[in-house]
Each structure stands twice: as structure tokens, then as C-alpha cells.
Amino acid sequence: LEGLLAPRTRKQFLGRAEVRQVFKLTKASNVAGCYVVKGKITRKANVEIIRNGVVTHSGVISTLKRFKDDVRDVGEGFECGICVTGFDKVEVGDVIEAFELESITRTL
């Protein structure tokens, strides 16, 4: 019977980045120039974009760059460029919080 129970999901906090500048690459995409304030940001991580204390968008990081190179992760105290899938309305002052979804099996 335990196998029939749906697993619970929990957010595992990875890091927080502050948007310092927005770069317009093409007509359709913007890249957020960020400074990692806490933790680390990894490529393919789930993110929430927070503006004025309210979550405005939840999505996945599509590209993560350090200077002009694609990187796997960026640590605390470094700058990076972040592009979020399906969201190009990033503004200066937004906060990007990265997290992983952890699946927890339920028991009786």
C-alpha cells in the first residue's frame, strides 16, 4: 500500500542571486547580470524570480554563463549571467532564488 501513496516534494535551497543589470541579446531574450549573494546557482536548477517580496515567475534556468563561457555552477561572491526559460521581463533589483525539488517517499 505504501507504493500507492504519492511522494511529497520539498524545496532544497541552493542559492540566491541579485539582478544588477539586464542585457538585451535579441528581440525576444534578455539575460540577467547577477551577483550571487548566498549559496550557489547551478544550471538546470528550478528558480523563483522575486520582485518586491512577491514571486513573479517560477521556472528553470536555461543558460548560466560566467563571462562568455557556459558553466555548470557559480559560487557565492561571483557574478554570472542567467537566462530563465519562458521569462524575459527581468528587472534590476529582482532576486533569483534557486532550488531543487526533492522527492520524499511516504510511509504509513
Side-chain angles (χ1 to χ4, degrees):
L1 290 175
E2 288 181 353
L4 298 175
L5 293 174
R8 290 187 182 152
T9 56
R10 180 174 56 175
K11 290 182 183 179
Q12 178 80 24
F13 177 79
L14 292 176
R16 179 179 297 123
E18 179 183 297
V19 178
R20 299 249 171 121
Q21 191 171 1
V22 178
F23 301 99
K24 197 175 276 280
L25 285 185
T26 61
K27 188 175 180 182
S29 71
N30 290 334
V31 174
C34 301
Y35 178 77
V36 180
V37 179
K38 184 175 184 181
K40 71 177 181 177
I41 307 293
T42 60
R43 191 181 345 148
K44 306 297 181 196
N46 294 314
V47 293
E48 289 181 342
I49 298 174
I50 301 169
R51 183 176 299 152
N52 299 327
V54 178
V55 176
T56 58
H57 182 74
S58 294
V60 178
I61 294 178
S62 60
T63 58
L64 180 66
K65 293 191 178 241
R66 177 127 171 81
F67 298 110
K68 293 191 178 187
D69 302 324
D70 285 329
V71 292
R72 212 175 335 185
D73 58 2
V74 178
E76 185 175 331
F78 292 101
E79 295 177 338
C80 62
I82 298 174
C83 188
V84 179
T85 305
F87 189 74
D88 63 341
K89 296 176 178 74
V90 180
E91 295 179 1
V92 175
D94 288 352
V95 174
I96 298 176
E97 285 192 354
F99 60 91
E100 288 181 341
L101 291 176
E102 183 179 352
S103 180
I104 302 170
T105 57
R106 293 172 47 187
T107 59
L108 293 176

